[in-house]
Amino acid sequence: MEQPTPRTSAVVPWSLLLLCLVSGALQARAQPNGFISIDCGGPTGYVDDTTGLSYTTDAGFIDADAGNNHNISVEYITPSTPKSWYSVRSFPSETRNCYTLSSLVSGLQYLVRGKFLYGNYDDPNRLPIFDLYIGVNFWTRVNILEAGAAVYTEAIMVVPNDSLQVCLMNTGSGTPFISGLDLRPLKNKLYPLANETQALVLLHRFNFGPTDSHDIIRYPLDPYDRIWFPFVDATDWTDMSTDMNVNADVDQLFQPPEAVMQTAITPRNVSNNIEFSLDLESFPSDLRLGYIYTLYFCELEDLSSSNAVREYYINLDDVLQVESSEEAYTPTYLVDRYFYSTGPFQADQSIVISLNATAESTLPPIINAIELFAVIATTTLGTDEQDVSAITAIKEMYQVHKNWMGDPCVPKALNWDGLTCSYDVSKPPIITNVNMSFNGLRGGISPNFANLKDVQYLDLSNNNLTGSIPDTLARLHSLILLDLSNNNLNGSIPFGLLKKIEDGSLSLRYSNNPDLCTNGNSCQLPERGSKVAIYIAVPVVVIVVLVLASVLCFCMQRKRKQGSINYSVKLTNEGDGNSSLRLENRRFTYMELQMITNNFQRVLGQGGFGYVFQGSLEDGTQVAVKLRSHSSNQGVKQFLAEAQVLTRIHHRNLVSMIGYCKDGVHMALVYEYMPQGTLHEHISGKHNNGLGLPWRQRLRVALESAQGLEYLHKGCNPPIIHRDVKTTNILLNARLEAKIADFGMSKAFNYEDSTHVSTNTFAGTHGYVDPEYQRTMQPSTKSDVYSFGVVLLQLVTGKPAILRDPKPITIINWTRQVLARGDIESMVDARMQGDHDINAVWKTTEIALMCTEQAPQQRPSMIDVVMQLQECLDLELGSGNGGKDPNMGYNVATYMSIDVSQNNGTFEIDHNYTTGPPMDTGPAAAR
Ligand SMILES: *[C@@H]1O[C@H](CO)[C@@H](O)[C@H](O)[C@H]1NC(C)=O
Ligand SMILES: *[C@@H]1O[C@H](CO)[C@@H](O)[C@H](O)[C@H]1NC(C)=O
Ligand SMILES: *[C@@H]1O[C@H](CO)[C@@H](O)[C@H](O)[C@H]1NC(C)=O
Ligand SMILES: *[C@@H]1O[C@H](CO)[C@@H](O)[C@H](O)[C@H]1NC(C)=O
Ligand SMILES: *[C@@H]1O[C@H](CO)[C@@H](O)[C@H](O)[C@H]1NC(C)=O
Ligand SMILES: CC(=O)N[C@H]1CO[C@H](CO)[C@@H](O)[C@@H]1O
C-alpha cells in the first residue's frame, strides 16, 4: 500500500446564521396532513406563493393579549421576501410567552421550526438575544446578529402529548419576538436519535451542488418540508448533478429528497480532499448532550465502464468513522446512501469532518448533503397532565390576564401567579394552591376546579362569581380551605362539602354572598297559596324524614299550614334532589340489599331489632346492612328514630348512614362498614393476639367517642341523648378511629314535643345505666355521661361492666375498692404490658369516676370530658418522645349545631362553624 500523498483541503466556512432569500413560484396545492404554518403577528391567513402552503395568523395559538403585533421596517422587505417574514409578534412583558400547537399525535416525530427576522420592527434597532423552550425543556438561544438576517431554528422531537408549547423566554437581553412557527409531522423514527427523552436541534443542513444560491429545497420537493439550504462556492468546488432518478428506499431513515441527492460537490483540484470545519459557538454548550451528523452520498458519475475509483475515508476530528472491513467508503451510483452517528459525540468549539481519498482512489471524494444536530435532553417533567388541562380550561373560561402561559409549575421561578405547586423529583409537579382572589372572575365556578385533584387551598374570594357551588368540589380529597367569600353565589352549600366541614377536614368561607342559603341568611321559598310552593316544599320535607311513611304524614300536615319554609343549608340540599344526596342517602330495594349482602350471607352482629349483615356496594364500598326482623314490632319505632337522627347529624365520630330500605315490609339501614368491629371485641382481647389495644390507642378511642357524644349533646339542638352508650356501640374503622353507633334508642331531648318518641320507654344496658335515669325514667345528657364513664373504666381496666369478683360487682364499685387500697397499677389492664403513662391512666380514671357520680349534677358535661381526655392524651404523648402526634387533629374543633325541632312545622338549622387552625395557617390565606 502506498502512502497517501499529502493534499491540501478546501475548508468550507460555515455561518451559523442561515440567510435565505426565496424566489420562484409554486402552485397552491392541498395542505399536507398535520402541517401547521403560522405567520406570527400577521393580519390574515394566505397561501404562500413559494411552497403552496397555507399560512394562518397566530391568533388561535397564543393568548390574544400576549405581546404586540408589528410590521418589520419596509427597508428589509424586498420583492422576493416571502410574506411570512413581514410581521412579528413581540413580547415586551412577561418573562415567558408561549404558543400552543395542538391536535398532535402523541409519540410521533415532529419537526418544529421557529423563524425570526428582526427587521427593526420596533425602530431602536437593538438586536435581541432570547431563549426558546419546547414545553419545559430548553431548545436553543436565538441570537439576532443582523437586523436583516432571517434566522431559522429547528428541532426534531417526539411529541409526548397531543399538544406542544413553544415558549420565548426573555433573558434580559432585549425583547423576544417571532416571525413564524412551523410544525411538520415526520415519519416515525425518521431520525432514530430523536426519542421521548432527547430531541435534535438543527445546527446545519446543507444541500451541496446547486448552482443557484437561491435554490432552496423544501416542500413539496421534500415532503417533510425540511429546508435544505444550497451550498454554492464555485471557486473551490465543482458542482456535479444528474437528471437521472436517484433510487431511494422508502423505508430507509432520513429520506433525503431526490433533488438533494441529484447534486453533489467535489474539490475542483482533484488532488484535494473535503474538509468541513463546523462552528459550534453561540449556543449554550452545557445544555447539550452532544452532537450528531448525517452525511448523504450518491455517486453521480457512471464509473462502471472505466477504471476510475472513488474511495475515501470519513473522519470526524481525525477519527476514522468507517469501521467496516474495508474502512474506506465508495458511494453507490444513483442510490442514495447516508452515514450517521449512532450516538451523540462531544465537541468543544468546532467539529471537523474530513473525507480523504484513499491511495487507491483515482477520483476525489464527493458529498451530496449534510445535517448536523445538537442533541438536547427533553427529560424535564412538566406539570401533571390532568392538572394542566384543568387549570388551562379554567384560564380559558375566565380569560385570565396574568402570566398564565407555558407550564403552570415549571420552571419553579416562572410558575403561574397565584399557583403553588408541589415538586417531587420522580413525578410531575402538581398544583396544590390556587389563589384567584381579586381577579374579577365572572360567571359560574368552573367545574374544572374539581379536576385539580391535589389542590389544598382554593381561594376564589373577592370576585364576581355567580351561580351555585358545584357539588363536585367535594371530590377534592386534599382540599383544606375553600374561600368563596365576597362573590355573588346563590343556591346552597352542597352536601358533600358540608360533610367535609362537619368531619373537620374542610374550612369553608362563604361570607358576603348575599344570595347564598346559609344559616345567617335563610332562603325564602315562594309564598304559599300557589300549588307550586307546596310542590317545592314537600320534597324538602320528604327527604329529611327519609320517606318513612308515618313521619312523612306528620310533616306534610304541618307543612301545609306553614306559609313559608324557613330552611337552610342541609335541608335545602337534601330536598333539592341533587345528586350528592342520592349518593349519600341512597334508597335501596330489598333485592338490591340481597345482592349487596350476597343474600345476607355474612352476619356482623345481632340486636333486638334483627341482624346486621356485611355487604359490598357496586363500587366496592363495604357496608353494614341492619335489617329489621319482621317479628320485632318494637323495631319499627327504633328504626324510625335512628333513621331520623342519622339523616340530621353528621360527625366523624358518629357512624354514618349510606342509605336505607323501605321496600314493602322490609326495612333496613345501610351504614359505613367498620372493619375493626366493636370496642368490646378489642377490650375483651379478641383482636391483636388477645392483647387488646395499646393504651394510647385506647385513649384515642376514648377521646373520639367522647367527641361523638359531645356532638350529640352540644352540636345538636335540641340535644340528642344516645341512651345506650356501651362498648358494643362504639365501632372502629380500619384506622381504628372510633365512631358511635346504634341510635335506635336515642332521643331528641325536647320536653315540649313528645308526639313521636315516647319518653316512657326505658332504654339502656345493664351495667351502663345511670341509676338516676333508672329511678326517674327521665333521661338526660348526664345519663350518657354516666354510661361513658363506665366505658372509660373498661378502657383502663379491660374488665366488663359487671365483674364477678366472685360476686357480681359493677366496674365502678370494683375500681373504687381497688383505688381505696391505693393500688392503681393492679387496676390497669395487664394486657397493656405496662406501656402507659401512669399519670394519664390516673387522670382518665378520675374522669371516669366523676362521670359515674351518683348525682347527675356532679358529673361533668361531655365538653369537659373531651377537654380532659385531650389533656390525658397530651400527657401520654408528652411522656413518649414525640410530643404532639401530627396525625391528631383534635384541636380542630368543628361544630355544626342543628336545630332539629319540628315545632310549628318550621325547620330551622342553626349552625355555626368554629374552625381551628386550618383556617388560619393556610398559605393561600395569607395575603
Ligand atoms: C492541486 O493541489 C495540489 C496539492 O495541494 C497542488 O500542488 C496543485 O498545485 C493544485 N493544483 C492546482 C491546479 O491548483
Ligand atoms: C402590517 O401591515 C399590514 C398590511 O400592510 C396591515 O394590514 C397591518 O395592520 C399592519 N400591522 C401592524 C401591526 O401595523
Ligand atoms: C433515547 O436515546 C438515547 C440514546 O441516544 C437512550 O439513551 C434513551 O434511553 C432513549 N430514550 C428512550 C425513551 O428510548
Ligand atoms: C485526512 O486528511 C487530513 C488532511 O487532508 C489529514 O490531516 C488526515 O490525517 C487524513 N486522515 C486520514 C485517515 O488519512
Ligand atoms: C360585579 O358585577 C356587577 C354587575 O355586572 C357589577 O355591578 C359589580 O361592580 C361587579 N363587582 C365587582 C367586584 O367586580
Ligand atoms: C410536555 C408535557 O406536557 N409532557 C407531558 C405529557 O404527558 C405525560 C403523561 O402522559 C406527562 O407526564 C408529561 O409531563
Side-chain angles (χ1 to χ4, degrees):
M1 239 174 94
E2 288 173 49
Q3 278 295 109
T5 48
R7 285 167 278 207
T8 60
S9 296
V11 175
V12 184
W14 294 75
S15 72
L16 194 80
L17 287 180
L18 309 175
L19 280 97
C20 105
L21 293 166
V22 182
S23 61
L26 278 166
Q27 283 160 357
R29 57 191 76 216
Q31 203 64 195
N33 252 352
F35 275 33
I36 299 177
S37 313
I38 304 171
D39 180 0
C40 302
T44 53
Y46 53 86
V47 173
D48 178 57
D49 302 338
T50 6
T51 56
L53 296 174
S54 294
Y55 280 76
T56 56
T57 68
D58 59 4
F61 301 93
I62 191 160
D63 289 1
D65 59 343
N68 310 321
N69 292 346
H70 296 274
N71 286 327
I72 60 168
S73 172
V74 286
E75 69 202 85
Y76 295 97
I77 299 178
T78 69
S80 62
T81 309
K83 203 172 169 183
S84 63
W85 297 100
Y86 289 6
S87 61
V88 302
R89 188 184 281 248
S90 76
F91 303 98
S93 56
E94 305 304 343
T95 306
R96 173 174 62 182
N97 286 275
C98 300
Y99 282 85
T100 304
L101 306 169
S102 31
S103 305
L104 313 188
V105 180
S106 154
L108 195 68
Q109 243 176 35
Y110 282 88
L111 179 156
V112 192
R113 183 163 50 222
K115 305 194 293 183
F116 309 86
L117 174 60
Y118 172 63
N120 195 20
Y121 74 86
D122 56 352
D123 210 21
N125 232 333
R126 208 174 296 131
L127 306 173
I129 301 174
F130 52 92
D131 286 349
L132 281 188
Y133 276 71
I134 293 179
V136 295
N137 290 282
F138 177 81
W139 170 2
T140 192
R141 173 155 296 162
V142 180
N143 186 356
I144 307 293
L145 296 173
E146 276 178 56
V151 177
Y152 287 96
T153 62
E154 190 187 295
I156 291 174
M157 63 180 309
V158 171
V159 171
N161 304 99
D162 59 0
S163 76
L164 179 71
Q165 291 205 316
V166 172
C167 302
L168 292 89
M169 206 81 89
N170 192 322
T171 54
S173 311
T175 302
F177 74 91
I178 186 165
S179 310
L181 190 57
D182 295 338
L183 181 93
R184 312 287 183 239
L186 302 179
K187 209 160 117 177
N188 223 0
K189 302 275 168 52
L190 199 58
Y191 288 80
L193 264 78
N195 62 22
E196 282 75 8
T197 52
Q198 60 189 36
L200 309 179
V201 175
L202 184 70
L203 301 181
H204 301 287
R205 179 186 290 121
F206 278 97
N207 172 29
F208 296 111
T211 48
D212 185 343
S213 64
H214 291 163
D215 206 357
I216 273 185
I217 291 179
R218 60 179 296 186
Y219 187 83
L221 290 178
D222 185 338
Y224 305 111
D225 194 30
R226 288 166 289 189
I227 296 178
W228 301 83
F229 294 95
F231 179 88
V232 179
D233 179 359
T235 50
D236 288 324
W237 307 97
T238 304
D239 298 324
M240 301 167 69
S241 65
T242 181
D243 293 331
M244 316 262 286
N245 287 347
V246 173
N247 295 323
D249 179 353
V250 286
D251 290 329
Q252 72 181 354
L253 302 174
F254 308 113
Q255 300 190 2
E258 185 176 39
V260 167
M261 299 309 288
Q262 281 171 327
T263 62
I265 53 166
T266 188
R268 197 163 274 284
N269 182 336
V270 292
S271 48
N272 279 3
N273 284 327
I274 298 177
E275 182 177 289
F276 306 98
S277 170
L278 309 170
D279 187 7
L280 299 176
E281 278 164 27
S282 72
F283 192 88
S285 57
D286 54 329
L287 292 165
R288 305 175 185 191
L289 297 175
Y291 303 90
I292 62 162
Y293 61 79
T294 311
L295 309 173
Y296 298 88
F297 302 108
C298 171
E299 181 57 76
L300 302 180
E301 272 180 53
D302 185 2
L303 307 176
S304 56
S305 55
S306 72
N307 289 328
V309 175
R310 196 193 306 277
E311 190 185 62
Y312 44 94
Y313 299 109
I314 300 168
N315 296 294
L316 172 72
D317 291 332
D318 282 341
V319 180
L320 195 61
Q321 296 295 292
V322 187
E323 305 279 4
S324 71
S325 52
E326 271 135 50
E327 292 196 343
Y329 181 74
T330 298
T332 317
Y333 181 55
L334 295 184
V335 175
D336 71 8
R337 293 278 187 234
Y338 47 78
F339 211 88
Y340 69 103
S341 25
T342 50
F345 59 86
Q346 302 304 314
D348 288 335
Q349 275 151 18
S350 65
I351 297 171
V352 176
I353 292 176
S354 56
L355 310 175
N356 293 17
T358 63
E360 286 73 28
S361 185
T362 61
L363 295 171
I366 62 166
I367 185 165
N368 304 59
I370 185 173
E371 289 181 289
L372 181 72
F373 297 96
V375 181
I376 57 166
T378 53
T379 42
T380 305
L381 290 178
T383 304
D384 177 270
E385 219 178 344
Q386 188 189 328
D387 283 4
V388 172
S389 43
I391 199 75
T392 305
I394 290 165
K395 169 190 158 180
E396 247 129 60
M397 169 164 174
Y398 298 115
Q399 297 288 302
V400 176
H401 299 292
K402 293 210 266 191
N403 71 335
W404 283 28
M405 256 187 293
D407 190 275
C409 304
V410 184
K412 245 185 223 185
L414 291 181
N415 72 356
W416 291 3
D417 281 350
L419 301 192
T420 309
C421 307
S422 157
Y423 301 86
D424 181 323
V425 274
S426 56
K427 283 185 287 191
I430 49 172
I431 298 171
T432 55
N433 295 8
V434 176
N435 181 353
M436 295 181 75
S437 62
F438 293 101
N439 261 254
L441 308 185
R442 331 182 131 260
I445 294 179
S446 166
N448 276 294
F449 284 112
N451 294 332
L452 290 169
K453 60 199 183 331
D454 299 299
V455 80
Q456 296 170 5
Y457 297 88
L458 181 53
D459 187 351
L460 303 176
S461 64
N462 297 289
N463 284 301
N464 226 335
L465 293 170
T466 49
S468 58
I469 304 171
D471 58 354
T472 46
L473 289 177
R475 286 209 303 249
L476 296 170
H477 297 297
S478 310
L479 193 62
I480 296 170
L481 176 70
L482 176 58
D483 195 342
L484 302 174
S485 48
N486 296 307
N487 278 296
N488 287 316
L489 296 167
N490 58 33
S492 53
I493 296 168
F495 188 65
L497 288 178
L498 283 177
K499 279 206 74 173
K500 283 170 162 287
I501 293 163
E502 284 165 9
D503 73 18
S505 64
L506 174 70
S507 295
L508 173 68
R509 298 180 189 165
Y510 56 78
S511 57
N512 292 325
N513 281 283
D515 300 326
L516 196 66
C517 304
T518 60
N519 67 314
N521 172 43
S522 21
C523 304
Q524 299 288 315
L525 279 186
E527 278 297 312
R528 155 187 91 99
S530 77
K531 278 182 177 147
V532 178
I534 291 168
Y535 278 143
I536 295 169
V538 170
V540 170
V541 182
V542 167
I543 310 280
V544 166
V545 298
L546 267 183
V547 206
L548 294 173
S550 58
V551 187
L552 171 66
C553 299
F554 166 76
C555 291
M556 277 177 62
Q557 277 171 4
R558 298 292 186 96
K559 200 47 59 190
R560 290 199 180 150
K561 291 188 204 133
Q562 187 68 12
S564 72
I565 302 173
N566 209 354
Y567 74 109
S568 131
V569 181
K570 180 173 295 298
L571 297 183
T572 318
N573 226 282
E574 291 182 349
D576 69 7
N578 83 25
S579 57
S580 77
L581 171 73
R582 298 267 147 88
L583 282 177
E584 298 292 347
N585 273 328
R586 169 176 162 189
R587 184 170 184 174
F588 294 89
T589 63
Y590 185 70
M591 240 169 76
E592 280 175 313
L593 288 187
Q594 279 182 311
M595 253 143 62
I596 287 168
T597 59
N598 197 8
N599 207 13
F600 306 106
Q601 202 170 41
R602 190 172 160 220
V603 176
L604 291 172
Q606 189 186 7
F609 48 83
Y611 289 101
V612 181
F613 299 94
Q614 188 182 11
S616 169
L617 298 185
E618 301 84 342
D619 65 355
T621 308
Q622 297 287 297
V623 293
V625 178
K626 183 168 167 180
L627 188 67
R628 190 183 77 86
S629 88
H630 310 298
S631 55
S632 147
N633 253 345
Q634 244 178 349
V636 177
K637 213 172 240 177
Q638 287 172 12
F639 253 78
L640 296 182
E642 175 151 20
Q644 274 188 291
V645 168
L646 283 174
T647 42
R648 290 174 197 151
I649 56 173
H650 299 277
H651 186 272
R652 67 168 159 190
N653 298 122
L654 303 177
V655 167
S656 56
M657 187 166 82
I658 287 167
Y660 64 95
C661 166
K662 170 101 176 50
D663 187 354
V665 293
H666 303 290
M667 277 191 182
L669 296 177
V670 181
Y671 305 91
E672 61 178 316
Y673 174 56
M674 303 289 284
Q676 286 289 333
T678 67
L679 178 59
H680 175 78
E681 291 163 19
H682 282 268
I683 286 183
S684 59
K686 215 177 124 186
H687 298 267
N688 195 15
N689 296 328
L691 290 178
L693 293 172
W695 172 239
R696 268 180 204 197
Q697 203 67 55
R698 294 185 195 212
L699 261 184
R700 274 180 202 173
V701 166
L703 180 55
E704 283 164 350
S705 30
Q707 283 172 322
L709 284 176
E710 179 201 19
Y711 177 78
L712 291 179
H713 292 176
K714 285 294 161 198
C716 303
N717 183 15
I720 291 173
I721 302 168
H722 187 284
R723 294 206 300 175
D724 200 12
V725 175
K726 55 182 176 183
T727 51
T728 47
N729 280 342
I730 295 172
L731 303 184
L732 303 180
N733 70 8
R735 292 192 300 267
L736 289 173
E737 290 161 348
K739 298 186 189 222
I740 306 268
D742 202 343
F743 298 89
M745 307 284 189
S746 60
K747 149 141 188 51
F749 190 68
N750 188 338
Y751 293 109
E752 282 107 35
D753 177 15
S754 55
T755 39
H756 60 290
V757 178
S758 162
T759 28
N760 299 321
T761 321
F762 177 76
T765 301
H766 188 46
Y768 293 89
V769 181
D770 171 13
E772 179 75 6
Y773 167 41
Q774 205 159 7
R775 196 172 60 75
T776 61
M777 296 291 279
Q778 195 58 258
S780 75
T781 53
K782 293 293 173 75
S783 325
D784 282 351
V785 173
Y786 183 92
S787 311
F788 184 73
V790 176
V791 171
L792 274 186
L793 288 179
Q794 289 188 270
L795 281 166
V796 172
T797 63
K799 302 267 187 286
I802 310 261
L803 292 78
R804 313 216 161 261
D805 188 34
K807 286 198 203 121
I809 178 172
T810 65
I811 192 169
I812 303 163
N813 288 337
W814 180 82
T815 309
R816 288 186 197 279
Q817 283 173 14
V818 175
L819 287 182
R821 296 199 297 269
D823 186 5
I824 303 180
E825 282 289 0
S826 76
M827 168 196 87
V828 177
D829 190 351
R831 284 170 301 186
M832 299 192 305
Q833 299 182 312
D835 184 18
H836 55 264
D837 178 74
I838 193 65
N839 293 316
V841 169
W842 172 236
K843 193 168 161 63
T844 309
T845 312
E846 257 188 347
I847 300 167
L849 292 178
M850 280 191 313
C851 289
T852 51
E853 284 287 351
Q854 285 292 315
Q857 54 278 12
Q858 284 175 8
R859 300 175 203 154
S861 69
M862 282 316 293
I863 296 181
D864 300 326
V865 173
V866 166
M867 267 165 38
Q868 298 206 32
L869 282 174
Q870 178 68 62
E871 285 170 23
C872 289
L873 192 63
D874 290 348
L875 256 180
E876 178 63 34
L877 296 174
S879 77
N881 49 4
K884 245 197 158 63
D885 183 340
N887 295 325
M888 305 276 291
Y890 296 124
N891 39 5
V892 182
T894 306
Y895 287 103
M896 185 172 189
S897 67
I898 301 175
D899 187 336
V900 290
S901 68
Q902 295 176 0
N903 301 325
N904 324 321
T906 305
F907 287 74
E908 272 177 33
I909 285 187
D910 182 16
H911 69 175
N912 58 75
Y913 300 112
T914 322
T915 36
M919 205 78 162
D920 306 309
T921 52
R927 274 195 288 275

